[in-house]
């Protein structure tokens, strides 16, 4: 007998009840009986255990007679709902899941170790139940989602980033995408994951300490924020750092850090503060370094100006597929500013602002690696000249589903090497300058 028909047999007018009424009825009773203030001091695991115990008492006291399996199912659903995000709660609890994707009530996917997986056993009972969960999420951050605002970005209190898009924009039903708050990795942990090697760690550490302006480039989800965080961790303790992001994900350990976060417009469409507003404001805050989570609009020009006028050692990320594209993209974004700047002047701006580009690539096996480190070695209005310092040469995917490959290292151009030396930084042996002229000749001959 199904849970629903069992309940229908139980009470006087309960034949009108369906599962979701039953679940929400018990949820209300459960919330009446627990001490919310005390609950907030417990971990998610403890909260679940507490709710299960209290609900068990309530069902024994006033509920229908249920089989062990039915009872367990009812308890699970009520507790999932009471905890806030219904069937998503256990997924949020699972640390191996980095992303949760809900495509309408019946299709739930997760990303684990860089790979997508469909979870056939997880589903919402209806379109309405999924919408309720979505509304619960966005209302906690004072946003709303409906036909007039069918697209919303929000962040859960626990840091997860949420995007919602609903019909009529989505023809696949309400879509919910939850990105877990990215775990911070130190560069040496990324070495263990195969994302770079020890020589590159030494090089990047020297470049950050010597205040090179660095742009991290990559596609969505390629690990830009994670690398930006690791690089930021190398900034010396005595410097004043201002970080600027759309949703604060960086987790800097230094003591002198100011964290700024942009703000979307409120429900009435007012009060928006953009990344650009924050970059401009940060210039009046005497920063030693400005770290911008991602440039994607006119703020790029302000960022480039800051980089070339005394805020050396600044860091930012940009969305691009390789280092050459990253430069073109920076140029396009900078030209989106309201200041009308001639093309050649933008070229000049980028040549003098950007010192190093670090490209991230997400490979077919889900791994994220630094696929190139390049120095921008051109001046003034010259054509961009990128000199590659490190590369990942990938081989074809093996039978084990892994993408093999190795890192190669190339010598630093003399100007960059000199700058490191002037800052008291050793040149890591793998990037020694001795063969530079020779390499240059080979490259130019090609
Ligand atoms: N080097 C790495 N090795 C393994 N996993 C990584 C690595 N870097 C990042 N990740 C994981 O990949 C996911 C995406 O990382 P991250 O948020 O840094 O990417 P992103 O490029 O900033 O994405 P977006 O474009 O959406 O801002 C996270 O789950 C993160 O933990
Ligand atoms: Mg990011």
């Amino acid at each position: 007998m199904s849970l629903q028909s069992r309940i229908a047999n139980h009470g006087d007018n309960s034949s009108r009840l369906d599962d979701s009424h039953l679940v929400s009825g018990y949820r209300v009773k459960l919330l009446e009986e627990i001490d919310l203030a005390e609950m907030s001091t417990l971990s998610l695991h403890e909260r679940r255990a507490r709710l299960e115990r209290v609900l068990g008492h309530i069902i024994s006291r006033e509920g229908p007679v249920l089989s062990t399996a039915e009872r367990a199912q009812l308890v699970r659903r009520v507790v999932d709902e009471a905890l806030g995000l219904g069937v998503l709660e256990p997924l949020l609890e699972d640390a191996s899941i980095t992303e949760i994707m809900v495509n309408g009530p019946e299709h739930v996917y997760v990303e684990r170790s860089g790979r997508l997986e469909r979870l056939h056993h997880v589903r919402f009972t209806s379109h309405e139940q999924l919408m309720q969960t979505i509304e619960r999420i966005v209302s906690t951050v004072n946003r709303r989602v409906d036909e007039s605002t069918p697209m919303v970005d929000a962040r859960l209190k626990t840091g997860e980033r949420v995007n919602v898009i609903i019909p009529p924009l989505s023809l696949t039903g309400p879509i919910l995408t939850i990105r877990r708050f990215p775990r911070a990795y130190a560069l040496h942990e990324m070495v263990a994951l195969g994302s770079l090697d020890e020589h590159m760690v030494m090089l990047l550490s020297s470049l950050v300490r010597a205040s090179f302006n660095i742009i991290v480039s990559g596609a969505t989800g390629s690990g830009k924020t994670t690398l930006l965080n690791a690089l930021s961790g190398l900034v010396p303790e005595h410097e004043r750092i201002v970080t600027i992001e759309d949703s604060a994900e960086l987790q800097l350990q230094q003591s002198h850090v100011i964290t700024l976060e942009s703000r979307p417009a409120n429900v009435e469409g007012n009060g928006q503060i953009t990344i650009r507003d924050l970059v401009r404001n940060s210039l009046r805050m005497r920063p030693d370094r400005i770290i911008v989570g991602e440039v994607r609009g006119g703020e790029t020009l302000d960022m480039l100006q800051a980089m070339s006028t005394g805020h050396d050692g600044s860091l930012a990320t940009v969305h691009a597929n390789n280092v050459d594209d990253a430069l073109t993209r920076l140029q396009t974004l900078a030209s989106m500013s309201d200041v009308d700047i001639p093309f050649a002047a933008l070229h000049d701006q980028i040549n003098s602002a950007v010192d190093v580009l670090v490209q991230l690539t997400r490979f077919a096996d889900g791994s994220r690696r630094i696929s190139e480190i390049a120095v921008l070695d051109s001046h003034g209005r010259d054509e961009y000249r990128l000199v590659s310092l490190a590369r990942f040469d990938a081989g074809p995917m093996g039978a084990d589903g892994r993408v093999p490959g190795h890192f190669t290292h190339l010598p630093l151009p003399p100007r960059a090497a000199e700058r490191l030396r002037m800052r008291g930084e050793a040149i890591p042996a793998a990037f020694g300058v001795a063969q530079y002229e020779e390499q240059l000749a080979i490259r130019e001959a090609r």
Side-chain angles (χ1 to χ4, degrees), residues 245-272:
E245 295 167 274
D246 269 332
S247 70
E249 291 180 329
L250 295 172
Q251 305 160 63
L252 272 61
Q253 302 305 314
Q254 291 90 332
S255 53
H256 200 158
V257 178
I258 292 144
T259 308
L260 305 179
E261 190 179 63
S262 65
R263 184 175 72 186
N266 62 15
V267 176
E268 287 81 42
N270 305 320
Q272 185 187 24

Side-chain angles (χ1 to χ4, degrees), residues 420-441:
L420 281 179
R421 235 182 260 113
M422 293 303 286
R423 290 296 200 112
E425 292 295 335
I427 312 275
F431 305 93
V433 286
Q435 323 91 315
Y436 179 74
E437 297 298 335
E438 198 182 314
Q439 290 275 345
L440 193 66

Side-chain angles (χ1 to χ4, degrees), residues 36 47 51 102 203 207 283 382 407 433:
L36 286 170
R47 263 186 282 166
L51 289 177
V102 181
L203 175 71
L207 293 170
L283 296 176
D382 295 352
F407 294 101
V433 286

Side-chain angles (χ1 to χ4, degrees), residues 131-436:
M131 277 309 293
Q132 273 170 15
T133 304
I134 289 177
E135 274 155 17
R136 201 170 300 153
I137 293 173
V138 299
S139 66
T140 58
V141 287
N142 278 333
R143 309 288 303 280
R144 73 167 184 223
V145 59
D146 53 28
E147 277 207 11
S148 63
T149 331
M151 211 162 53
V152 172
D153 276 316
R155 187 152 56 95
L156 303 185
K157 285 200 191 71
T158 36
E160 289 84 2
R161 222 160 71 177
V162 176
N163 175 270
V164 173
I165 182 159
I166 63 166
L169 300 187
S170 155
L171 307 184
T172 328
I175 311 290
L176 173 66
T177 313
I178 303 179
R179 158 84 60 89
R180 183 180 294 288
F181 190 72
R183 188 200 138 191
Y185 288 95
L187 280 184
H188 68 267
E189 292 176 283
M190 294 169 72
V191 171
L193 292 169
S195 303
L196 73 170
D197 66 12
E198 293 292 351
H199 302 292
M200 292 152 82
V201 171
M202 282 198 286
L203 175 71
L204 290 171
S205 308
S206 301
L207 293 170
V208 172
R209 282 194 304 262
S211 296
F212 280 61
N213 289 320
I214 302 177
I215 303 285
V216 174
S217 151
T220 307
S222 57
K224 297 184 294 295
T225 305
T226 306
L227 182 64
L228 186 67
N229 193 60
L231 295 178
S232 306
L234 302 167
V235 173
E237 176 65 35
H238 62 270
E239 298 191 33
R240 177 170 163 87
I241 308 171
V242 179
T243 69
I244 299 173
E245 295 167 274
D246 269 332
S247 70
E249 291 180 329
L250 295 172
Q251 305 160 63
L252 272 61
Q253 302 305 314
Q254 291 90 332
S255 53
H256 200 158
V257 178
I258 292 144
T259 308
L260 305 179
E261 190 179 63
S262 65
R263 184 175 72 186
N266 62 15
V267 176
E268 287 81 42
N270 305 320
Q272 185 187 24
I273 304 290
T274 63
I275 293 278
R276 175 157 217 203
D277 298 326
L278 296 177
V279 171
R280 287 180 168 181
N281 194 80
S282 73
L283 296 176
R284 299 192 283 273
M285 297 169 72
R286 199 222 159 267
D288 286 312
R289 313 232 186 183
I290 303 172
I291 300 179
V292 178
E294 184 167 341
V295 291
R296 46 168 93 90
E299 71 274 6
T300 308
L301 182 64
D302 303 82
M303 177 74 199
L304 292 170
Q305 281 168 346
M307 283 179 156
S308 54
T309 54
H311 302 97
D312 282 348
S314 292
L315 306 166
T317 81
V318 70
H319 194 286
N321 291 330
N322 57 56
V323 288
D324 296 286
D325 280 357
L327 290 175
T328 318
R329 176 112 179 109
L330 286 175
Q331 188 163 319
T332 309
L333 292 174
S335 69
M336 283 161 65
S337 131
D338 42 11
V339 189
D340 208 6
I341 294 205
F343 186 77
L346 274 181
H347 223 83
D348 192 1
Q349 187 69 252
I350 289 175
N351 268 333
S352 69
V354 177
D355 298 317
V356 173
L357 291 140
V358 182
Q359 180 67 37
L360 286 164
T361 301
R362 178 179 173 177
F363 290 86
D365 60 354
S367 62
R368 278 103 169 157
R369 293 191 177 103
I370 292 186
S371 48
E372 182 159 15
I373 303 178
V375 173
L376 182 59
D377 195 37
S378 39
H379 318 255
R381 300 186 173 203
D382 295 352
E383 280 296 302
Y384 298 133
R385 188 171 63 248
L386 279 166
V387 178
S388 191
L389 300 183
R391 277 211 197 108
F392 182 73
D393 295 317
M397 191 191 266
D400 58 354
R402 305 236 147 260
V403 174
H406 63 278
F407 294 101
T408 47
H409 312 102
L410 298 152
L412 269 160
R415 209 164 59 108
E418 184 57 20
R419 188 165 153 197
L420 281 179
R421 235 182 260 113
M422 293 303 286
R423 290 296 200 112
E425 292 295 335
I427 312 275
F431 305 93
V433 286
Q435 323 91 315
Y436 179 74

Side-chain angles (χ1 to χ4, degrees), residues 90-103:
L91 307 184
L92 285 166
E93 240 175 300
D94 182 344
S96 69
I97 293 177
T98 48
E99 196 129 13
I100 303 170
M101 291 143 277
V102 181
N103 306 352

